[in-house]
C-alpha cells in the first residue's frame, strides 16, 4: 500500500483480519478502488479491486460475531479514481484498459448508499456476495453489520408503551440474504451464514450439512435467495 493514504482500518472480532480503505495521493480525496485486508494467519495481504464494477470502497466494518463477514460502503468510481498507479507496474495495455473503465465510470450516475457484503477468510480470500442498495430505506450513513442486520444512520421515531415517543439515529436494515429471517435464533443465523459461505467457496456438500437440521419453511426460502 505504498504511496496511498489510509483512511480507515477495521479489525474483525477474532483479531485475525485487518481491513483498510485508502485514498489516492494527489487526487483531491478520491478513493482507491481496492479493499486491502491483512491476514494474521497468512502474514500477508489480500486485495479486492472493485474497479470492474465501477465502484470504490469508502468504509468497511466486520460483523460483530462472525469473523468472516464484512460489509463495505461503496461510492461510484469517478474518472480520477482507480488503483494507485504508484502501487504497481502498468503496461500500455493496462493503461488503455484503465482509461476505458474510467471513461465508462464517468457516465454512471451517482447512486444512493450501497453496501457490498463479503466473506473473507485466509483459505478462500475475499468473496463478494452481493450489493445492497440502502437508498430505498432512506439511510444517510453506514455504521456497521450484525447479521442478520446492517446498522445504518437514519432518523426514526420510536414508540414504546408507557413512554413518550423519541427519535433514534440508528436503524437496523435486514441483509438481503436474511429476508424473512430477522428474528432467527443464534443457531439458525449461524447455520445460514455457514450455508452461504460454503456455497461461495463451492463446497455444496458442506453447505447442505450446515442447514440439514433446519426445518423452518422461512429458512429454506431464505436459503433459496442466497443460492
Amino acid at each position: 500500500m505504498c504511496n496511498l493514504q489510509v483512511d480507515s482500518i477495521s479489525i474483525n472480532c477474532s483479531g485475525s483480519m485487518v481491513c483498510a480503505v485508502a485514498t489516492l495521493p494527489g487526487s483531491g480525496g478520491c478513493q482507491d478502488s481496492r479493499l486491502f485486508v491483512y491476514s494474521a494467519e497468512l502474514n500477508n495481504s489480500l486485495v479486492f479491486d472493485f474497479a470492474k464494477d465501477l465502484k470504490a470502497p469508502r468504509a468497511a466494518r466486520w460483523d460483530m460475531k462472525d469473523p468472516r463477514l464484512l460489509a463495505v460502503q461503496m461510492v461510484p468510481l469517478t474518472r480520477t479514481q482507480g488503483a494507485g498507479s504508484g502501487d504497481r507496474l502498468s503496461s500500455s495495455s493496462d493503461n488503455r484498459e484503465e482509461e476505458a473503465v474510467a471513461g465508462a465510470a464517468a457516465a454512471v450516475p451517482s447512486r444512493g448508499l450501497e453496501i457490498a457484503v463479503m466473506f473473507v477468510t485466509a483459505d478462500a480470500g475475499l468473496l463478494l456476495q452481493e450489493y445492497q442498495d440502502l437508498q430505498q430505506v432512506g439511510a444517510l450513513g453506514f455504521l456497521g453489520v450484525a447479521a442478520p442486520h446492517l446498522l445504518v444512520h437514519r432518523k426514526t421515531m420510536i414508540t414504546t408503551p408507557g413512554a413518550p415517543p423519541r427519535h433514534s439515529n440508528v436503524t437496523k436494515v435486514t441483509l438481503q440474504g436474511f429476508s424473512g429471517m430477522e428474528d432467527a435464533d443464534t443457531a439458525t443465523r449461524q447455520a445460514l451464514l455457514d450455508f452461504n459461505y460454503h456455497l461461495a467457496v463451492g463446497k455444496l456438500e458442506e453447505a447442505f450439512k450446515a442447514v440439514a437440521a433446519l426445518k423452518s419453511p422461512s429458512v429454506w426460502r431464505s436459503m433459496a435467495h442466497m443460492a
Side-chain angles (χ1 to χ4, degrees), residues 38-116:
Y38 171 77
S39 167
E41 181 178 341
L42 298 175
N43 191 27
N44 201 359
S45 295
L46 308 169
V47 180
F48 189 94
D49 196 342
F50 291 93
K52 62 182 177 62
D53 292 331
L54 305 180
K55 307 177 193 295
R58 182 176 181 181
R61 300 289 184 268
W62 297 94
D63 184 81
M64 295 180 179
K65 293 183 178 180
D66 193 315
R68 305 168 298 181
L69 187 62
L70 180 66
V72 186
Q73 181 180 350
M74 308 305 300
V75 294
L77 199 63
T78 65
R79 186 179 296 275
T80 55
Q81 287 173 278
S85 59
D87 203 44
R88 61 180 178 86
L89 296 177
S90 300
S91 66
S92 58
S93 59
D94 290 334
N95 293 334
R96 287 194 296 270
E97 181 178 352
E98 290 173 2
E99 288 171 2
V101 170
V108 177
S110 178
R111 295 191 287 177
L113 184 63
E114 187 175 40
I115 303 298

Side-chain angles (χ1 to χ4, degrees), residues 128-199:
L128 176 62
Q129 293 299 103
E130 59 189 2
Y131 291 107
Q132 184 164 346
D133 191 349
L134 300 181
Q135 185 176 19
Q136 61 183 354
V137 299
L140 302 175
F142 171 57
L143 301 176
V145 55
H149 298 107
L150 295 170
L151 306 179
V152 301
H153 169 46
R154 185 184 69 182
K155 290 186 177 180
T156 306
M157 181 69 73
I158 297 178
T159 57
T160 304
R166 61 186 178 87
H167 285 94
S168 173
N169 290 321
V170 180
T171 300
K172 295 188 296 184
V173 177
T174 304
L175 286 160
Q176 289 175 165
F178 283 86
S179 179
M181 295 300 301
E182 295 86 347
D183 299 320
D185 58 31
T186 300
T188 300
R189 182 176 65 245
Q190 190 60 51
L192 286 172
L193 285 169
D194 290 342
F195 170 80
N196 203 4
Y197 172 73
H198 289 308
L199 274 185

